[in-house]
Amino acid sequence: MEADLIIRDATLPDGRGGCDIVIADGLVQAVGPSIPAAAREEIDAQGRLVSPPFVDCHFHMDATLSLGLPRLNQSGTLLEGIALWGELKPLLTHEAVIGRALAYCDLAVARGIGAIRSHVDVCDDRLLGVEALLEVKERVAPYLELQLVAFPQDGLYRGATARANLLRALDLGVEVVGGIPHFERTMEDGRRSVVDLCEIAAERGLLVDLHCDETDDPHSRHIETLAAETARLGLGGRVTGSHLTSMHSMDNYYVSKLLPLIAEAGVAAIANPLINIVIQGRHDTYPKRRGLTRIAELQAAGVPVAFGHDCVMDPWYSLGSGDMLEVAHMAVHAAQLTSREAMRAAFAAVTSVPAGILGLDGYGLEPGCHADLVLLDAEDPIEAIRLKATRLVVVRRGRIVAETPAAVSRLHLPDRPPSVSARRSAPESSAH
Ligand code: FE2
């Protein structure tokens, strides 16, 4: 049988080198060295890294690319971002939200992202964002999986209609229950919201992903309730705590008790390194806290830890380009994840770990998986993070959906090579 596509001489994220990947009918058919098969199209990876797609497990697609509307965030804080988003919300139109979301999805695909979990604000009684993103989800489905979280941005109990709106959004087909317990008016309201949201998810058989303790306040301990409710309701494996930044500032004894609770309950953690490093610590003078959760300690306790992008050019973050390697790069620096093992785990935190959190079906490069992959201009996951490597080819269901040329600079220097690349083993820079 003639295959549709063969990638020759690929290095896989687990370190296996010299692999051919045979693709037909949108699926990986075979993976291994020197496979004697023919295909309509062949790509020679020349030993470069081929990975399953990046997965962004925490994003806000209803707000993306809205930077400057209606004004910029002057203080850089989470609270001003929420207030600014509140000013923008009544001005949003269905068409504008769809236009910006589709533009972001184009960029995400070019950057090798295959799936995005996006929170969508349900505090607007029109549910404009929900309806727009449900339409976007359908339109991008052939090339990008979009999973939506019903997110009461202004608090589940602070407004009269937020809870009813959240249920309406779930009725419309939003598949994950969101929340923001640290933004409720009192700790008790925050605790009640966690219980309420977990019960809604249990009743409806849904996943849970709460913005949880996104603050520098060490007494913000809603993750404890989230883990306990997960265990009580048997939701293990379906619940995620996003941000968990208060854990950075918590008492060490308390954390030593909290970590096994999270692990045993089966709760996953999502850090958002770019946003956490920019937004947290804003009330500090010096020393300024980094505001990232305890990534290495959570991993050591057996908690799945993934990294999300969270924001790109919106009321909370004016930078970003849909690059999950930039996200991993920031995590490596801000959380000092610099051992070889920790950097490989950082790559997994933007690929296989979030794929598990989203419950993606057929993710991976084994036979039978969807033929979704990215050829990176890097020799391995560590070089990919170091260089935020170019996504040379992005394949979705066996079809090339994006290509980007390698970053090579032409030099005009006397007695020096004609070109240079930052790659360690790039032909242009490896001559001795
Ligand atoms: Fe978020």
Side-chain angles (χ1 to χ4, degrees):
M1 173 188 108
E2 193 188 47
D4 297 324
L5 174 66
I6 298 180
I7 316 277
R8 298 282 186 198
D9 190 18
T11 298
L12 306 186
D14 64 11
R16 278 180 286 166
C19 284
D20 294 346
I21 303 169
V22 181
I23 291 165
D25 302 327
L27 300 172
V28 175
Q29 303 291 341
V31 181
S34 309
I35 297 176
R40 279 203 295 279
E41 189 168 7
E42 281 204 13
I43 296 172
D44 184 0
Q46 297 180 309
R48 292 184 181 88
L49 176 65
V50 171
S51 170
F54 296 106
V55 177
D56 184 0
C57 53
H58 187 116
F59 196 66
H60 294 264
M61 204 173 281
D62 48 359
T64 195
L65 305 182
S66 68
L67 183 69
L69 299 174
R71 62 179 177 85
L72 292 168
N73 183 334
Q74 297 299 328
S75 67
T77 60
L78 173 71
L79 297 182
E80 186 175 343
I82 293 175
L84 209 169
W85 173 238
E87 292 168 37
L88 175 55
K89 259 192 279 189
L91 310 175
L92 293 175
T93 67
H94 188 78
E95 294 68 30
V97 172
I98 287 180
R100 288 195 286 265
L102 288 175
Y104 183 74
C105 289
D106 293 343
L107 182 61
V109 168
R111 298 288 200 165
I113 292 177
I116 300 176
R117 173 182 279 183
S118 174
H119 297 254
V120 51
D121 190 356
V122 297
C123 291
D124 173 356
D125 290 340
R126 301 173 296 168
L127 290 188
L128 182 142
V130 172
E131 285 176 359
L133 290 195
L134 282 168
E135 189 176 324
V136 169
K137 179 186 162 91
E138 217 176 286
R139 284 171 67 170
V140 302
Y143 52 89
L144 181 71
E145 184 154 347
L146 181 57
Q147 186 179 75
L148 298 178
V149 186
F151 176 48
Q153 170 75 77
D154 301 329
L156 189 67
Y157 301 136
R158 285 173 71 143
T161 53
R163 190 179 185 282
N165 288 349
L166 180 131
L167 296 176
R168 282 170 59 210
L170 298 177
D171 289 342
L172 287 171
V174 172
E175 58 253 78
V176 186
V177 179
I180 186 164
H182 56 276
F183 194 62
E184 304 294 345
R185 285 289 187 188
T186 64
M187 289 299 279
E188 174 54 18
D189 278 359
R191 189 200 65 78
R192 277 199 305 125
S193 78
V194 174
V195 175
D196 196 359
L197 293 163
C198 286
E199 286 178 350
I200 290 168
E203 221 166 84
R204 293 176 175 240
L206 299 175
L207 304 174
V208 178
D209 187 343
L210 306 188
H211 282 66
C212 195
D213 304 323
E214 188 184 3
T215 158
D216 296 310
D217 173 7
H219 301 294
S220 188
R221 294 177 169 187
H222 296 295
I223 179 59
E224 178 186 284
T225 308
L226 183 61
E229 286 304 295
T230 300
R232 179 177 74 85
L233 296 164
L235 294 174
R238 287 164 48 187
V239 175
T240 302
S242 275
H243 292 293
L244 304 179
T245 50
S246 74
M247 284 184 71
H248 185 95
S249 301
M250 281 175 184
D251 172 74
N252 288 330
Y253 168 73
Y254 175 70
V255 172
S256 75
K257 185 166 159 283
L258 179 61
L259 286 171
L261 173 66
I262 300 171
E264 286 162 29
V267 173
I270 294 176
N272 295 295
L274 294 168
I275 276 49
N276 299 152
I277 201 79
V278 161
I279 285 192
Q280 301 305 314
R282 288 277 178 168
H283 298 266
D284 291 358
T285 54
Y286 287 94
K288 276 185 191 285
R289 285 168 285 182
R290 294 176 187 221
L292 229 66
T293 194
R294 302 193 190 201
I295 293 168
E297 291 77 6
L298 283 159
Q299 287 170 331
V303 177
V305 181
F307 305 149
H309 204 315
D310 202 358
C311 303
V312 170
M313 298 182 73
D314 69 9
W316 295 272
Y317 187 58
S318 56
L319 304 172
S321 65
D323 186 349
M324 294 310 294
L325 287 172
E326 185 173 64
V327 172
H329 192 266
M330 178 56 77
V332 164
H333 287 77
Q336 299 177 327
L337 305 170
T338 48
S339 72
R340 311 303 282 177
E341 194 184 20
M343 287 194 278
R344 280 190 284 269
F347 189 84
V350 292
T351 51
S352 55
V353 177
I357 290 173
L358 267 66
L360 296 183
D361 150 60
Y363 179 89
L365 293 177
E366 299 310 315
C369 290
H370 291 303
D372 301 344
L373 53 87
V374 187
L375 168 61
L376 291 139
D377 194 16
E379 64 177 16
D380 60 22
I382 295 173
E383 190 175 62
I385 292 174
R386 179 175 73 87
L387 300 178
K388 289 161 248 165
T390 302
R391 288 68 165 165
L392 298 169
V393 180
V394 181
V395 171
R396 174 80 176 181
R397 306 291 140 102
R399 200 172 68 79
I400 294 172
V401 290
E403 292 175 276
T404 308
V408 177
S409 303
R410 295 254 150 260
L411 289 179
H412 304 277
L413 297 173
D415 306 321
R416 298 306 305 152
S419 63
V420 66
S421 152
R423 278 199 61 203
R424 192 170 164 186
S425 55
E428 291 84 0
S429 60
S430 63
H432 294 288

